[in-house]
Structure formats: C-alpha cells, structure tokens
Amino acid sequence: MTIEYATRYRQRSLIPPEAGKPYFIEKGEGDRAHLFGDLFTVYAGGEQTENTFNFFTCDGPKGDIIPAHSHPDTYEVFYIAEGAVRLFVEDLEGEQYERLLSAGDFGFVPKNCPHAYRIERHHSRIVGVAAGPGGTFERFFENLGTPTDEHGLPRTPYVPDPRKFGTVPQQYDVTFLPGHTWRTGS
C-alpha cells in the first residue's frame, strides 16, 4: 500500500510532511521537478530528517556546465549512479579541482566551496546528499524550476523566470557566482 500525503509543497506526495514516519518510495516516485534540461527527484528532505540531510537524484542529458555556485551552510555529496559527470570544485584557499566521475565514483564539496558540474554522457544520474548546520536545500529545485509529475527529462529545457534568481537561491542556501572562472582547462 502506498500512502499519499498533502504537504506545504505539493497536493500529492509520497513523502510525509513531518519527521518520525517511516516510508518507502519506489524508484522515480519522489517529488519531481524539471530545472533546465534535468529531472530532480527528492526522496527525503528537511521535513523528514529534522533538517539534518536530504537525498535526491538528478537525471540529465549530456549538456552545458551548471552555473558556479556555493552553499554557505551545506556540505554536498555527488555519487554517480549512471553515466559520467565532470565536477569542478574550488577550495577555500582558491585552489581548483576538476574530476571526471563515472558510475560508482564519489565527490565531496565542503560548505562555502564554489562548485559546478557538467553531465558528460547522456542518461547520467547523480545521487545527491546535502547536509549542514543551515538545513537542507532540496526544495530549491522545484522553486527555481517547476514541479512535474513526469518521470522523464523535460521535452524542452525549463528556463526559470529571471526574477526567480533574485529570491529563490538565497532561501535555499544557494549562492550563484556569476562570472566565476574555472582555470582547470575543461
């Protein structure tokens, strides 16, 4: 039996709106959102974990680099379940790192470190976990992007209204870094 909940984010969700309830979600059935060319699926977030961590996936096609950004209060994990993703990270001293991660590889980004990624192979999947003293950011995807009931990638990329970039990121511990340059060569 599958239980559906009404939450402050969605009228129908398989994720309970509060902590303390065990639950199970079949593959791909979490809260989904389209953002640019990607599909983000949230399986657990702040409400379920007392703001200690979140768990989500990002499915995407080979494409452009995601804009450089940082999370002032959040640590982020990139685990590549399928395909390949190039992760760019800059440490707090300004040293930059770049690594091509393929299925089974792991990348860790400390809080406050600028980072970006580029999906290098079609049908890639990132498993993400984020945690930190400031809470979690999983609702960023549907608030900057758009919630969807679809299981696949958007037919056409979803480009947010430019005004959203002025408010949504700050609410979810995301700081975009326009003009940030990656000197790593790729």
Side-chain angles (χ1 to χ4, degrees), residues 4-169:
E4 285 191 355
Y5 302 92
T7 71
R8 64 184 176 145
Y9 299 104
R10 297 169 180 268
Q11 291 183 359
R12 292 180 316 115
S13 175
L14 301 177
I15 303 172
E18 70 276 336
K21 291 188 181 280
Y23 64 98
F24 306 92
I25 298 177
E26 292 179 19
K27 179 181 178 180
E29 291 298 323
D31 291 350
R32 296 177 300 281
H34 286 151
L35 180 56
F36 303 112
D38 299 337
L39 171 68
F40 291 89
T41 305
V42 174
Y43 292 92
E47 294 86 6
Q48 297 75 44
T49 67
E50 298 176 346
N51 283 323
T52 56
F53 74 93
N54 64 25
F55 184 94
F56 61 93
T57 59
C58 169
D59 293 273
K62 182 177 180 178
D64 295 329
I65 193 168
I66 298 302
H69 62 284
S70 66
H71 306 287
D73 287 322
T74 307
Y75 299 87
E76 189 171 5
V77 165
F78 290 77
Y79 177 81
I80 310 308
E82 297 175 36
V85 175
R86 187 171 303 277
L87 182 60
F88 303 84
V89 183
E90 183 175 306
D91 68 20
L92 297 176
E93 286 78 41
E95 186 170 346
Q96 293 188 352
Y97 305 84
E98 172 189 330
R99 182 68 55 99
L100 179 64
L101 303 173
S102 55
D105 291 343
F106 172 93
F108 176 75
V109 179
K111 68 179 184 174
N112 270 321
C113 288
H115 59 285
Y117 67 88
R118 181 176 62 224
I119 295 177
E120 298 285 1
R121 290 190 199 133
H122 290 299
H123 309 290
S124 290
R125 174 173 288 154
I126 302 165
V127 174
V129 176
T136 61
F137 64 73
E138 72 281 351
R139 297 299 171 183
F140 166 80
F141 306 119
E142 66 195 348
N143 282 281
L144 187 63
T146 185
T148 185
D149 288 329
E150 295 177 26
H151 287 91
L153 302 178
R155 288 176 193 65
T156 58
Y158 179 82
V159 179
D161 181 314
R163 292 174 293 198
K164 284 186 169 183
F165 284 98
T167 58
V168 172

